[in-house]
Amino acid sequence: SFFYDPIWSPDGKRIAYHDKRLTLWVVSVDGGNPVKVDQDWYETPDRSLDPAWSPDSRWIVYTKQLPSFFHAVFAYDVEAGRSVQLTDGMSDARFPVFDAGGKHLYFAASTDIGIAASWLDLSSIQRPVTRSVYVAVLAKGDPSPLAPESDEEKPSGEEAEEGKDGKKDGKIEKGKGKDEGKEEKKEAPRTTIDVEGLSQRILALPVPARNWVGLAGGKEGVLFLAEGPPVDLLGEPSPSPTIHRFTLEKRKAEKFLEGVSGFDVAAKGEKVLYRKEETWFIAGADEPPGEDAKALKLDGLDLLVDPRAEWRQMFREVWRIERDFVYDPNHHGLDLAKAEKRYAPFVEGLASREDLNYLFEEMLGELTLGHTFVGGGDIPEPDTVPGGLLGADYAIENGRYRFARVYDGENWNPKLRAPLTAPGVDVKTGEYLLAVDGRDLVPPRCPDEALANTAEKQVVLKVGPDPSGKDARTVTVVPVASEEGLRYRAWTEDNRRAVDRLTGGRVAYVHLPDTGSGGYTSFNRFFFAQVGKEAAVLDERFNHGGALADWVIDHLKRPVMSLLATREGHDQHSPGAAIYGPKVMIINEMAGSGGDAMPWYFRKAGLGRLVGKRTWGGLVGIYDYPPLLDGGGVTAPRVALYGLDGEWEVENAGVAPDVEVDLDPKAWREGRDTQLEAAVAIVMEELEKNPPREFRRPEYPNYQGDGELGKK
């Protein structure tokens, strides 16, 4: 199998590790078979069992998923060979670590993680998660590390009399007598875990509830905590964690390090190793790193490689990855050993790393399985020159370049900045581009050539309404590196306006580019902004997948349950964030993975008809594979979906439409979208058959009747 995260016991006699099969093991370095500690419940991208050793090397503490997706903390007794559950599973408990004194166990737990614990559903993403940090007193009879402290002040200047036994203020001074300067070798403190009554010996540390993403023990009574962002913003890089240092002595957490991408504490808790960007540092663990932090000089390291030997190793490794990770242990009926033998002779004829990737693509095609991707590797990258784009289409008219279309953007949004529509620029469709940075622009010299290497740099354009240059003006613009966002926005906005026009404003339109960050953002932004319309067209053409879009399906099928009457304003529906009328979804052959699952779910939920072409048929999932020797990689689909009747319904089959409609190329060139038009016709037909129900507010109640105080 594949093995991960070996952790030495403090006494150096054993190693704990876990494997791809979700199993935690411990093995003696003196030999013998590995001993199985436990096995996790689900296979998920976060497969770590969070193992940690007790100071006396007797216990391995770890976390394990329960059927609820929540984690509970367990401890394995190496001497007795058995595990015990330490937390009750009513919270998601993670990152357990022993205190160096051996008497306490720290961990973080969340009681509000909710649906965020289910990793593959779209409804689980972008959910704020907070965890509190706890300390468990492991043995019966041991005192609380957070017992109330005396609030009496000690007399200033008073010193306790030092006795013959070398005590001062009740503490033994170190380094006195003939053994001064010698370090005593202390035995590791013995750890005892009494499970009975442990739930009543778990205390909350005085640490704010935050998104704690990791804990690490330091010296006795010292704990390091890694804080992640409150919410991961989809599509954006996650901020690097902030490290805090907590001590039982001070009973508070203080900021220790910011912006780290790696952090570990030395065995004795005296030093820390951490990474910032591409540099590693070593510093003391008692104070926030300052000038004493030593950067590790790694830039001079060179590696001599034999490419052909690497290619042979990677060829064998790819077959191992497919063997162990593909969801089907029978590999869709393919005999891997025979297939490997068949393709092995080609390795000796390779002339480049690109050839190896080509070989991988050919041989993995034998699996007849979607999502078997190949990429990367030690391939030379040529120097490139960035372009510069204005967000426009051009036409050659009157011997000049004319703006055939200027794309609008959202200039408040850095990802949708439109250079020609910025304030003070205001270039219009129909104007001419006459010169760039003072150089006349005349065909055959093209705008791309004139704007080469100008992305995100200031450029002076000469533009005007006349090809002769009459009434021309100069404007300063900042070209963009890519127009993809602008052109995608233009396509979706054109579609939305078309649906609005064809339906008299009665029907909403939302495009879902994927079932990850783009689709989640698009649905949240454009569906809820059109609440109040009577029906909806959902367009998932070209959807390139991601998660499973339960979030979308759940909101599409919400029925009206009641109405709210207020003294002022219009009556309101509940649930309010919904469109209650008929829905239609447009699909095509370029929608796959999560883009296969969404129309499959749409149909299962009985939401409406599917219009367009059969989807791609790639309903398997990929995540987390061992990298190849030179940094390249392959995938081996490790999760697949099947239907409620026990059939593989979509993989290699796709989801067929209820109404098949081609995207007619002639109509497209004429500015018409035949699939969109068909969807609109169907949803309007549904509206005619089932018009929106009108609700009548009842008469206001009269609880006084004809009594003395009742209104006549």
Side-chain angles (χ1 to χ4, degrees):
S1 186
F2 287 83
F3 306 98
Y4 308 100
D5 302 331
I7 304 173
W8 287 85
S9 61
D11 63 8
K13 296 180 180 180
R14 294 181 176 88
I15 298 174
Y17 62 95
H18 59 100
D19 66 14
K20 188 264 170 188
R21 297 190 177 101
L22 316 180
T23 306
L24 180 62
W25 300 89
V26 61
V27 63
S28 171
V29 298
D30 293 333
N33 292 326
V35 176
K36 181 178 177 178
V37 174
D38 209 339
Q39 191 168 25
D40 214 349
W41 188 266
Y42 295 112
E43 179 179 342
T44 65
D46 182 10
R47 62 180 176 273
S48 177
L49 291 157
D50 302 325
W53 285 94
S54 64
D56 63 355
S57 303
R58 176 183 173 184
W59 297 89
I60 303 172
V61 67
Y62 61 97
T63 62
K64 175 182 171 181
Q65 292 178 97
L66 306 175
S68 64
F69 289 99
F70 282 19
H71 295 76
V73 177
F74 291 75
Y76 177 77
D77 187 339
V78 175
E79 296 177 1
R82 63 184 180 86
S83 286
V84 292
Q85 185 171 335
L86 304 184
T87 61
D88 62 8
M90 299 305 291
S91 64
D92 186 59
R94 297 294 306 273
F95 324 122
V97 60
F98 286 96
D99 183 78
K103 295 182 178 182
H104 306 136
L105 179 72
Y106 305 106
F107 64 93
S110 173
T111 56
D112 66 1
I113 192 170
I115 59 176
S118 178
W119 65 280
L120 192 53
D121 296 329
L122 195 61
S123 59
S124 70
I125 63 178
Q126 208 163 346
R127 298 280 178 176
V129 174
T130 58
R131 296 182 186 273
S132 296
V133 185
Y134 301 91
V135 58
V137 179
L138 297 174
K140 292 179 181 178
D142 280 354
S144 167
L146 302 174
E149 297 176 302
S150 172
D151 58 0
E152 295 183 4
E153 295 185 9
K154 295 180 180 179
S156 60
E158 182 178 326
E159 295 183 3
E161 181 181 353
E162 183 176 357
K164 295 179 181 179
D165 57 359
K167 291 184 179 179
K168 184 175 183 179
D169 291 337
K171 297 180 181 178
I172 298 178
E173 287 191 327
K174 297 179 180 179
K176 298 295 184 182
K178 61 180 180 180
D179 292 328
E180 183 172 359
K182 293 183 180 179
E183 182 179 349
E184 293 184 31
K185 186 176 181 180
K186 299 181 180 179
E187 289 188 9
R190 187 72 172 171
T191 296
T192 299
I193 300 180
D194 294 321
V195 178
E196 184 180 355
L198 181 61
S199 64
Q200 300 305 304
R201 301 196 305 274
I202 296 176
L203 309 172
L205 290 183
V207 172
R210 293 177 182 170
N211 184 23
W212 301 113
V213 295
L215 305 180
K219 296 178 182 178
E220 184 173 351
V222 177
L223 178 68
F224 291 92
L225 308 93
E227 179 190 358
V231 176
D232 283 324
L233 297 177
L234 294 175
E236 300 290 343
S238 294
S240 298
T242 297
I243 306 298
H244 300 260
R245 183 177 182 270
F246 174 86
T247 65
L248 288 173
E249 181 183 7
K250 293 183 178 180
R251 300 190 180 185
K252 66 177 180 178
E254 298 175 321
K255 189 177 293 184
F256 188 78
L257 268 172
E258 290 185 287
V260 299
S261 53
F263 183 84
D264 205 353
V265 185
K268 294 182 180 180
E270 296 176 350
K271 299 283 185 181
V272 295
L273 171 70
Y274 62 95
R275 178 181 177 183
K276 284 195 169 188
E277 295 181 347
E278 299 302 319
T279 305
W280 287 91
F281 298 87
I282 293 178
D286 294 334
E287 299 291 339
E291 296 181 359
D292 67 324
K294 297 179 180 179
L296 303 186
K297 302 296 183 182
L298 304 177
D299 52 354
L301 294 178
D302 292 320
L303 181 67
L304 186 64
V305 301
D306 180 348
R308 292 189 180 279
E310 285 191 346
W311 298 345
R312 296 186 193 103
Q313 189 278 336
M314 288 188 284
F315 174 81
R316 294 192 299 271
E317 184 78 349
V318 166
W319 287 110
R320 290 184 68 240
I321 290 171
E322 302 304 319
R323 179 197 72 191
D324 285 359
F325 284 88
V326 168
Y327 80 94
D328 175 10
N330 297 315
H331 305 98
H332 283 197
L334 178 68
D335 187 323
L336 292 190
K338 287 183 180 179
E340 181 177 358
K341 185 177 180 180
R342 178 184 177 188
Y343 282 91
F346 294 102
V347 179
E348 302 307 316
L350 301 178
S352 69
R353 183 61 175 82
E354 291 95 331
D355 286 352
L356 182 64
N357 274 350
Y358 178 79
L359 178 61
F360 289 163
E361 291 171 355
E362 290 295 309
M363 69 191 201
L364 295 185
E366 300 282 357
L367 288 165
T368 316
L369 180 59
H371 290 69
T372 48
F373 300 131
V374 174
D378 192 6
I379 300 174
E381 295 184 4
D383 292 334
T384 59
V385 176
L389 299 168
L390 300 178
D393 292 335
Y394 304 96
I396 298 177
E397 296 181 14
N398 303 312
R400 289 285 192 175
Y401 286 101
R402 194 172 194 176
F403 292 110
R405 178 169 181 175
V406 173
Y407 288 95
D408 291 336
E410 294 173 348
N411 290 323
W412 49 268
N413 183 346
K415 293 183 178 181
L416 288 174
R417 185 174 59 80
L420 298 178
T421 66
V425 178
D426 297 326
V427 173
K428 305 296 183 185
T429 296
E431 293 189 296
Y432 290 88
L433 176 58
L434 303 170
V436 176
D437 277 341
R439 292 186 62 189
D440 204 35
L441 183 60
V442 177
R445 185 171 181 247
C446 71
D448 288 342
E449 177 188 351
L451 292 164
N453 202 24
T454 62
E456 306 304 326
K457 300 176 182 177
Q458 290 189 2
V459 176
V460 177
L461 306 180
K462 182 180 179 182
V463 298
D466 193 284
S468 68
K470 181 182 178 182
D471 297 326
R473 67 189 189 281
T474 59
V475 293
T476 300
V477 301
V478 179
V480 294
S482 171
E483 293 176 338
E484 182 179 358
L486 293 174
R487 292 179 179 274
Y488 168 71
R489 179 184 181 276
W491 180 68
T492 57
E493 280 296 286
D494 287 350
N495 289 346
R496 186 182 65 80
R497 293 188 183 103
V499 171
D500 196 68
R501 181 183 70 255
L502 292 170
T503 66
R506 299 173 67 188
V507 178
Y509 169 87
V510 181
H511 183 258
L512 298 155
D514 56 47
T515 54
S517 60
Y520 185 82
T521 300
S522 182
F523 186 77
N524 288 343
R525 179 176 176 187
F526 296 108
F527 178 81
F528 296 113
Q530 298 177 79
V531 163
K533 293 186 181 293
E534 299 172 25
V537 171
L538 289 304
D539 187 352
E540 72 116 38
R541 290 176 292 179
F542 311 102
N543 185 297
H544 53 262
L548 298 175
D550 67 316
W551 172 262
V552 173
I553 302 302
D554 288 348
H555 280 83
L556 292 180
K557 68 181 184 182
R558 300 177 85 186
V560 59
M561 303 298 289
S562 68
L563 282 87
L564 288 68
T566 55
R567 184 65 179 266
E568 319 298 343
H570 294 279
D571 289 357
Q572 303 166 44
H573 297 77
S574 176
I579 295 175
Y580 308 109
K583 284 95 178 174
V584 172
M585 180 171 283
I586 314 176
I587 61 177
N588 73 354
E589 64 275 23
M590 297 302 290
S593 191
D596 285 302
M598 185 157 56
W600 189 39
Y601 285 9
F602 187 89
R603 174 175 284 155
K604 284 173 176 285
L607 287 169
R609 282 185 274 182
L610 302 175
V611 176
K613 302 292 287 185
R614 181 185 296 269
T615 61
W616 175 48
L619 197 47
V620 290
I622 52 176
Y623 57 88
D624 293 352
Y625 300 95
L628 298 180
L629 191 61
D630 66 350
V634 298
T635 62
R638 55 193 298 178
V639 57
L641 278 70
Y642 62 91
L644 305 182
D645 295 326
E647 298 288 339
W648 305 104
E649 297 182 17
V650 181
E651 170 65 20
N652 281 333
V655 177
D658 298 301
V659 180
E660 185 165 343
V661 180
D662 284 309
L663 187 65
D664 184 85
K666 181 176 183 294
W668 179 265
R669 287 194 299 272
E670 295 170 352
R672 293 175 46 233
D673 184 334
T674 49
Q675 291 174 335
L676 184 68
E677 290 172 352
V680 168
I682 289 171
V683 81
M684 292 303 290
E685 176 188 338
E686 294 291 334
L687 271 177
E688 292 301 317
K689 292 180 181 177
N690 300 290
R693 180 181 172 185
E694 295 185 6
F695 298 96
R696 180 179 61 83
R697 184 188 290 192
E699 295 291 330
Y700 294 111
N702 181 355
Y703 297 123
Q704 305 299 323
D706 295 328
E708 180 180 350
L709 298 179
K711 289 189 176 181
K712 305 299 183 186

